[in-house]
Amino acid sequence: FGENVHTYKDVTLDDVATKLNRVKFEGQTNLDKAIETAYNIHMDEKRDLKREGKLPPGTVLLVFTDGAPSNRRSVENIIVDIANHIDREDEFNITFLTVGSVPRELAQYLNGLHDDIEHRLTQDFDIFHCENLENVDFLGAVNTVNHE
């Protein structure tokens, strides 16, 4: 929501509205820092689970957006860095969910971002996806996971 990244542990669905109401919108988005923070949390949890002899589950980062990040190149760089350092494709995935009507500039940026990222990968891991929020079937995704 701005230049600062805030993390909240053990947030329930009921907590979301309260947390969002406290956010001060600053007119810019340091999305690269948010992605980096989420990945660092993932890596800390991965290390802890490995010490316990457990296989860490995959992490999915959902980014809800109606605009482009402030530092586009940095977002691309962090996604490429993550994709080049994970052990398996389902370890860490990032999905941008566009909200509302998507400006043409944002649509072009997101389509180009996916292509730019793929050209810079040393591993064949497609960890970045972009969807329109209205087209995502969350219940279907959960039901698929629970029945496999």
Side-chain angles (χ1 to χ4, degrees):
F1 299 108
E3 65 183 78
N4 300 308
V5 175
H6 306 277
T7 60
Y8 305 97
K9 287 193 166 264
D10 303 319
V11 174
T12 65
L13 188 56
D14 294 333
D15 296 333
V16 173
T18 304
K19 303 288 186 208
L20 287 177
N21 286 333
R22 294 185 194 155
V23 172
K24 294 181 181 170
F25 296 95
E26 300 171 13
Q28 66 178 11
T29 304
N30 283 337
L31 182 56
D32 55 319
K33 302 290 185 217
I35 294 171
E36 182 177 35
T37 299
Y39 183 66
N40 289 339
I41 291 169
H42 164 81
M43 291 304 293
D44 289 345
E45 292 173 355
K46 178 180 175 180
R47 275 189 288 279
D48 292 346
L49 288 169
K50 278 191 169 186
R51 266 192 294 257
E52 296 172 17
K54 298 177 182 175
L55 179 66
T59 296
V60 176
L61 174 62
L62 300 176
V63 177
F64 296 85
T65 186
D66 65 351
S70 300
N71 189 336
R72 295 174 180 195
R73 187 66 169 171
S74 188
V75 168
E76 179 182 327
N77 289 341
I78 191 68
I79 294 171
V80 168
D81 188 53
I82 291 168
N84 288 332
H85 286 95
I86 56 177
D87 296 327
R88 57 187 209 277
E89 188 168 22
D90 67 342
E91 180 180 332
F92 195 90
N93 276 259
I94 303 164
T95 299
F96 282 26
L97 296 166
T98 56
V99 180
S101 61
V102 178
R104 188 174 68 191
E105 179 187 342
L106 176 59
Q108 290 172 337
Y109 163 71
L110 293 174
N111 289 334
L113 179 60
H114 191 272
D115 295 342
D116 291 344
I117 289 169
E118 283 189 340
H119 289 55
R120 295 179 53 202
L121 299 179
T122 57
Q123 302 188 96
D124 191 23
F125 291 161
D126 184 14
I127 69 163
F128 172 74
H129 311 280
C130 183
E131 298 285 338
N132 184 294
L133 180 61
E134 295 171 355
N135 298 334
V136 177
D137 179 11
F138 289 101
L139 185 57
V142 170
N143 287 334
T144 301
V145 171
N146 288 335
H147 292 107
E148 290 183 352

